Amino acid sequence: ANQVKDFSVEEISSIRDGNAHAISFEDGSSYNLTIDDIDLRREEKEGLAVANEGDITIALDLTITEDLELDGIAQEIKHIIQDLRKEMDLQVTDRIVVELNGDDKILKSLKLHATYIATETLADALDVNETIEDSIEMPNLSGFIKVTKV
């Protein structure tokens, strides 16, 4: 069993391709191990997505950290503002002021990414305002937003 657990990737691939692999026992005897003698399984670690093709294996960590979540919220806010600019028929060069409010995650994301959002959307200001008149609810986020042309 120790010999099998120590097989290299190349040895496992060779067996999987139909070749025999000799293993030796303490009494001096040996056995040619084939694919019919073993049960090959691939178990993915929790939180990883794994893909194999030939000799290449790629693993992607699916864990959403707080930083990634806040980055995603900033991207979503930027997307919402850009959609509102389109709905308002604004020119590419038109400057805007954005008022918004939301839960703690939205506010934290704004604090971290205000410059990025403002630059990407041509916003002269991103103002947090608890009471925004004529605002709309932000899709996919817990908050409200209003965009005004300067």
Side-chain angles (χ1 to χ4, degrees):
N2 283 337
Q3 290 180 48
V4 174
K5 80 173 178 89
D6 292 335
F7 280 174
S8 68
V9 172
E10 292 80 16
E11 290 169 319
I12 294 170
S13 293
S14 177
I15 294 170
R16 194 178 60 217
D17 292 341
N19 300 312
H21 185 77
I23 56 171
S24 302
F25 299 101
E26 289 179 7
D27 66 3
S29 63
S30 64
Y31 180 78
N32 284 328
L33 194 65
T34 67
I35 190 69
D36 295 330
D37 297 315
I38 58 176
D39 181 15
L40 286 177
R41 296 181 193 183
R42 180 187 70 177
E43 293 183 14
E44 295 176 11
K45 290 183 178 179
E46 190 174 323
L48 293 179
V50 180
N52 291 312
E53 186 164 324
D55 293 340
I56 298 173
T57 300
I58 296 174
L60 178 64
D61 185 351
L62 300 177
T63 306
I64 305 293
T65 64
E66 183 181 21
D67 287 343
L68 282 175
E69 185 178 17
L70 295 174
D71 288 350
I73 290 169
Q75 291 291 333
E76 186 66 22
I77 292 169
K78 179 189 83 166
H79 178 75
I80 291 167
I81 294 169
Q82 289 172 333
D83 283 349
L84 289 171
R85 287 180 62 93
K86 287 178 190 173
E87 288 175 20
M88 295 168 65
D89 291 323
L90 296 179
Q91 298 299 311
V92 175
T93 57
D94 287 340
R95 306 296 295 186
I96 60 172
V97 171
V98 178
E99 294 177 82
L100 40 80
N101 64 34
D103 62 19
D104 289 342
K105 286 187 180 185
I106 289 174
L107 299 179
K108 191 170 186 179
S109 180
L110 282 172
K111 185 175 181 181
L112 290 171
H113 302 291
T115 302
Y116 165 75
I117 296 168
T119 301
E120 292 292 312
T121 61
L122 295 181
D124 287 346
L126 288 174
D127 297 326
V128 175
N129 187 343
E130 290 300 317
T131 56
I132 308 170
E133 293 183 26
D134 302 322
S135 65
I136 62 163
E137 188 170 2
M138 290 189 279
N140 304 319
L141 296 174
S142 299
F144 291 86
I145 190 167
K146 179 180 179 181
V147 174
T148 307
K149 180 180 174 183
V150 176

